[in-house]
Amino acid sequence: MRISVKRMLIGKPLKSTELGDQKLSKTKALAILSSDALSSVAYGPEQILIVLMALGAAAFWYSIPIAVFVVVLLVALILSYRQVIFAYPHGGGAYVVSKENLGITAGLISGGSLLVDYILTVAVSVSAGTDAITSAFPSLHEYNIEIAILFLLFLTIINLRGVTESASILAYPVYLFVAALIILIVTGIYKILTGQFSPNLHTAIGTPVAGVSLFILLKAFASGSSALTGVEAISNAIPNFKKPAPVNAAKTLLVMGGLLAVLFAGIVFLAYYLGVAPDPKETVVSQMTREVFGRSWLYFFIQGITALILVLAANTGFSAFPLLAVNLSKDKYIPRMFQVRGDRLGYSNGIIMLGVFAMLLILVTQGSTEKLIPLYAVGVFIPFTLAQTGMMVKWWRERPKGWQGKFLINTVGAFISFVVAAIFFLTKFDHVWPVLIFLPTLIYIFHRIKNHYDLVGEQLRVNKLTNELPRIDGNVILVPVGGISKVVEHSISYAKSLSPDLLIAIYVAFDKEELHAFEKKWESRFPDVKLLALYSPYRSIVSPLTKAIDKIEHKANCQNRQVSIIIPQFIPKKGWQNILHNQSSLLIRTWLLYKRNVVIISVPYHLTK
């Protein structure tokens, strides 16, 4: 049953030779890797207005010049990451660039930031999508968390089915979203030009506003820059593209940048002209759509597709997180399990872990995008800054033909990214302070894992100067027994077949009379097998057993003999029946495996009823 459910949800396994069929075309890659960046136009402009709201609606005109600066930053980042794609065609993005040009610490800061950022990407996207749904249907507002978790489970399962299949399913909503927003922007501008909206809905650009300060404007700019998260995902996922992968990735990046610039600028302008103000119970896009189309079928269509794309934007995290985890795993900074491909040739361990962490984050923050977005944005602008700085170092060191122009592009990108990250820390410290805790903690964990792998490798490495194998002159077999049964008979029979130098059964009794009675039974049933009967006044099985094993092992080691312990164990017909038994064999095996230098052999006896 378990296997059939897995096959139904994930699909039948794919052969390793089918990996080439899992590569993405530019059309599918744009949908699956750009969904995060494109969807952010649904909440990026709103973040600008939320900051400006502190000054009153009259300050909304500042959203226009702020949007211009955000687009300038976008252009710098797109051109910068285009250079990253061609310089590092095997993927890895900011982590690889920072590690190779700025050192391992910078690389780990970038890698750690992006790992956390992709978790935040999933949590923010799903939460924002849920908000869009509850804006259209306010009665569902109290079920935000439940709806978000259902969406997250759906995305996790879809991605476990494979990159190509998830891209095929998710491509249509992404392109429908782009088309829907273009229709909204074009229709809105048309109605503005034809005088269908009053020019009194907004204050004129340049209107003096009391209380405005550089601090507030920078805070609004940083908040609007949250729309640029996800721009780096394509540079991380180059291996997922069809050949020639770097060329296809670069073209996809440029198309994504163009679409993002048009949609972001259009939404900001329309929101300004219509005088839309942030509302906790209704998103800015929802208000704009209602103003342009009324509560017609187009309103519900755009709201529905916006909610869907916000949820599906999480797929960028599901695509990029596993690949980044693979790079860190290859360098031994996170567990090797992240390099394992699942049944559908995706890095399923990375997908599952991402889904679990994102779910925990949604539960902890109660799905609040306002709490998550600043942390989400600062988490990506740190690697933005390091990646661009790393590229500057690369061009300065290598100085290839035309390096001056590339150096200038990366310098502009690094400077603006650093300014945005600094603004987040200065203006939203109450939201982003966790970065100062989890990032050093992550780097510490990375180094601990790396040290472990290095120590293990050093201890397991074979000395090429000698071909001598460890000397073992014999074998002593011990069999812990809890009574006389078919399970014990089966194990004793197996032990004899190994022709040991010495075979000893060990019995632990909690009562002396019971101990003497068992010795007589054993002598009658197994006269040729030595029995070591131990009395345990404190009713412990493990303690007297391990003490006896220590003594026997010490003597055996002096004679170059290996001590092997055979653990008799019966296996119930059904798995749930295990809870009805004491599982002493499991306890003994676990204890000995980690505490003693002995060979552990489990001898199962399967029950038929």
Side-chain angles (χ1 to χ4, degrees), residues 363-418:
L363 291 172
V364 169
T365 62
Q366 292 296 294
S368 171
T369 54
E370 189 177 347
K371 293 178 182 177
L372 291 173
I373 286 174
L375 191 60
Y376 166 47
V378 77
V380 79
F381 274 99
I382 291 173
F384 276 177
T385 304
L386 291 173
Q388 306 315 312
T389 306
M391 291 301 292
M392 289 169 59
V393 172
K394 177 181 175 64
W395 301 135
W396 183 264
R397 185 172 59 231
E398 298 179 4
R399 303 194 184 189
K401 185 178 180 181
W403 69 273
Q404 295 92 336
K406 297 176 179 179
F407 181 84
L408 179 61
I409 289 172
N410 289 125
T411 302
V412 173
F415 176 74
I416 301 177
S417 297
F418 174 76

Side-chain angles (χ1 to χ4, degrees), residues 361-480:
L361 195 57
I362 290 172
L363 291 172
V364 169
T365 62
Q366 292 296 294
S368 171
T369 54
E370 189 177 347
K371 293 178 182 177
L372 291 173
I373 286 174
L375 191 60
Y376 166 47
V378 77
V380 79
F381 274 99
I382 291 173
F384 276 177
T385 304
L386 291 173
Q388 306 315 312
T389 306
M391 291 301 292
M392 289 169 59
V393 172
K394 177 181 175 64
W395 301 135
W396 183 264
R397 185 172 59 231
E398 298 179 4
R399 303 194 184 189
K401 185 178 180 181
W403 69 273
Q404 295 92 336
K406 297 176 179 179
F407 181 84
L408 179 61
I409 289 172
N410 289 125
T411 302
V412 173
F415 176 74
I416 301 177
S417 297
F418 174 76
V419 169
V420 173
I423 292 170
F424 268 110
F425 276 107
L426 291 173
T427 62
K428 297 197 174 187
F429 185 77
D430 56 328
H431 286 103
V432 304
W433 64 264
V435 172
L436 301 178
I437 295 176
F438 72 69
L439 207 49
T441 302
L442 262 184
I443 293 171
Y444 172 76
I445 292 172
F446 289 157
H447 282 296
R448 292 283 297 186
I449 293 172
K450 179 70 161 60
N451 288 340
H452 169 75
Y453 280 131
D454 288 344
L455 288 172
V456 169
E458 183 180 332
Q459 293 174 77
L460 298 182
R461 193 173 295 112
V462 175
N463 188 349
K464 295 181 180 179
L465 300 178
T466 176
N467 291 323
E468 280 189 34
L469 295 175
R471 180 179 171 182
I472 298 177
D473 293 334
N475 196 12
V476 176
I477 293 183
L478 309 179
V479 185

Side-chain angles (χ1 to χ4, degrees), residues 16 18 22 30 87 256 341 383 442 556 566 570 580:
S16 298
E18 298 178 81
Q22 295 295 301
L30 179 63
M256 180 197 71
R341 291 186 181 272
L442 262 184
I566 290 179
F570 68 85
L580 304 177

